[in-house]
Amino acid sequence: MIVNSWNEWDPLREIVVGSADGAHFEPTEPGNRPTIRNAPVGTPFPTGPKSPEAIDRANEELAGLVALLESRGITVRRPDPHDFGAPVRTPDFEVPNQYCAVCPRDVMITVGHDIIEAPMSRRARYFEYRPYRRLVYEYWNADPRVTWTTAPKPSMDDDMYRQEFWDWPVEERHRRMHSFEFCITQDEVVFDAADISRFGRDLIVQESMTTNRTGITWLKRHLEPRGFRVHPVHFPLDYFPSHVDCTFVPLRPGLVLTNPERPLLERDARLFHDNDWELVDAPQPTTGNDEMPDFCQSSKWLSMNVLSLSPTTVVCEEQEKPLQDLLDKLDFEVLTVPFRNVFEYGGSLHCATWDIHREGVREDYFPNIAYRPLV
Ligand code: ABU
């Protein structure tokens, strides 16, 4: 089967790598208030297209990743061109432009033989599935066992968002850290695919700024009848959670790379402890948050956004030597590529990819479990 991927670490055979072509600055909208790092408060975030130079720099690093993957015998596919400068207008909202196709992981996910398009959480990303549609059709036409699921699109109207979220001071965020209420309400199905991490029969899904409880319920009702178990997970000290792959990164059966500043809620951690998984903290990134690229909206923890080529081989950002040393000690073959010019497009190596085929089958890595299905 061409489409076959059950977890984040099995030997990789085919993958999609994003592209910075046509990228635009993300507009300010209810689900997103982008800011320039280290600029005085109130400095407006740029609008319109990214500069050709910034796009070339990112594309060069994406091409480096493609070359590395191909040198390991992995088939690499790319998104189609898309007019990210086109405004989006629906009956419920309007945005002046869209974003980019650098991070397919945010919108597309393969769960076994099922390709799922996430509903997404931000207006500027409403049509971000489109650069991948030709590929989806190709996979779907090639094999009748491939299924294709598009999650229901939320309205993204003003009521879907909790705008005051953006103005809460740190003390308020700390006070609310166990309520897991962020900038989206619970009324509609909302999730980004990058809040999901796959562990064979089990998937974890992070409640975040980009995924709500209704989205997780939708995932449970879709996946449980197909034999999966879906576990919501929470990281109470992450006040701006968005996408789980800079927080909790499985590397091989029994081993997860964890973020020392974002511990997993003890209640959720039981699943891993009861099944003898080892949680290993990543070292501090080599950059502080204030040293990340000016227009990058992600945290310094892009350092741990690694891409596994197999349970023994991991691709890591070239400058993250402390993490490379840790992975080496954990017996991984560590490959490196420069990737920092990609950061301002929202991700690093895991975010910028979407795996289509990894060898292997669905396995149960959590035999000691008390799971109550929804249905
Ligand atoms: N897109 C991943 C960003 C996660 C983070 O900023 O930590």
Side-chain angles (χ1 to χ4, degrees):
M1 294 195 70
I2 305 174
V3 176
N4 181 79
S5 184
W6 303 92
N7 59 46
E8 308 292 336
W9 59 78
D10 269 345
L12 184 62
R13 292 290 167 250
E14 179 153 342
I15 195 162
V16 178
V17 172
S19 159
D21 287 351
H24 278 59
F25 287 99
E26 269 192 291
T28 296
E29 52 164 298
N32 192 17
R33 293 241 184 118
T35 53
I36 309 177
R37 269 172 209 271
N38 304 316
V41 179
T43 308
F45 196 70
T47 56
K50 298 266 188 182
S51 74
E53 296 75 23
I55 289 177
D56 286 350
R57 284 193 298 267
N59 272 339
E60 200 177 309
E61 294 188 345
L62 288 157
L65 175 62
V66 171
L68 173 71
L69 295 169
E70 288 179 341
S71 77
R72 308 290 290 207
I74 296 163
T75 301
V76 178
R77 311 298 302 272
R78 307 301 298 274
D80 278 341
H82 177 77
D83 181 6
F84 290 102
V88 177
R89 185 168 182 206
T90 77
D92 300 298
F93 72 82
E94 202 169 344
V95 277
N97 60 262
Q98 301 166 62
Y99 185 32
C100 64
V102 173
C103 293
R105 187 78 60 180
D106 295 356
V107 59
M108 308 298 296
I109 184 165
T110 305
V111 180
H113 312 308
D114 192 17
I115 293 174
I116 302 178
E117 290 174 11
M120 303 305 282
S121 54
R122 293 179 182 163
R123 294 172 175 178
R125 309 192 74 176
Y126 195 83
F127 286 113
E128 211 169 291
Y129 61 88
R130 289 191 49 169
Y132 310 103
R133 269 286 167 94
R134 181 185 51 82
L135 283 173
V136 176
Y137 266 110
E138 182 186 318
Y139 295 135
W140 187 75
N141 281 325
D143 189 336
R145 292 167 295 182
V146 173
T147 54
W148 168 20
T149 306
T150 63
K153 279 279 181 207
S155 68
M156 300 195 186
D157 67 5
D158 287 349
D159 290 343
M160 202 187 95
Y161 299 96
R162 186 179 289 107
Q163 298 250 30
E164 63 277 17
F165 166 85
W166 299 103
D167 303 318
W168 290 337
V170 174
E171 304 72 44
E172 177 72 3
R173 291 182 195 284
H174 190 75
R175 199 177 65 71
R176 291 172 175 266
M177 70 177 168
H178 285 109
S179 70
F180 305 104
E181 292 288 346
F182 304 102
C183 55
I184 45 175
T185 60
Q186 303 295 340
D187 303 336
E188 298 189 57
V189 169
V190 180
F191 66 89
D192 281 7
D195 278 315
I196 305 168
S197 186
R198 301 160 305 153
F199 295 72
R201 195 176 164 198
D202 293 271
L203 297 96
I204 61 165
V205 190
Q206 170 181 241
E207 261 192 65
S208 70
M209 301 197 299
T210 42
T211 293
N212 64 8
R213 289 192 278 281
T214 316
I216 297 175
T217 300
W218 185 90
L219 281 163
K220 277 175 169 281
R221 289 197 198 168
H222 178 66
L223 291 169
E224 280 178 352
R226 293 164 173 80
F228 293 94
R229 300 177 292 214
V230 176
H231 310 271
V233 289
H234 307 85
F235 303 89
L237 292 181
D238 189 356
Y239 300 148
F240 294 91
S242 163
H243 306 161
V244 74
D245 51 0
C246 292
T247 302
F248 202 80
V249 178
L251 296 173
R252 66 182 175 220
L255 180 66
V256 181
L257 186 66
T258 50
N259 183 320
E261 294 179 1
R262 302 173 180 170
L264 177 61
L265 189 67
E266 189 48 42
R267 183 185 74 210
D268 302 339
R270 260 184 249 140
L271 173 70
F272 294 90
H273 297 323
D274 291 351
N275 288 279
D276 298 325
W277 280 67
E278 193 183 356
L279 308 186
V280 176
D281 273 346
Q284 279 294 322
T286 58
T287 51
N289 270 323
D290 53 0
E291 293 160 321
M292 296 288 279
D294 283 352
F295 300 136
C296 173
Q297 303 302 297
S298 305
S299 72
K300 63 183 181 181
W301 292 105
L302 284 182
S303 62
M304 59 186 282
N305 192 248
V306 297
L307 176 68
S308 291
L309 302 194
S310 77
T312 55
T313 304
V314 180
V315 189
C316 201
E317 207 284 325
E318 187 177 67
Q319 295 184 52
E320 292 303 327
K321 191 79 176 68
L323 178 58
Q324 293 163 23
D325 290 345
L326 172 75
L327 293 169
D328 187 54
K329 277 201 200 94
L330 292 166
D331 288 331
F332 287 97
E333 175 192 15
V334 183
L335 309 175
T336 65
V337 281
F339 222 60
R340 297 207 166 178
N341 288 302
V342 178
F343 285 7
E344 72 171 82
Y345 301 84
S348 190
L349 295 149
H350 190 259
C351 301
T353 52
W354 159 35
D355 36 299
I356 302 298
H357 191 113
R358 287 181 184 270
E359 282 175 13
V361 295
R362 180 165 76 177
E363 292 195 33
D364 185 349
Y365 301 101
F366 300 91
N368 301 321
I369 197 170
Y371 185 78
R372 250 178 286 140
L374 265 189
V375 281

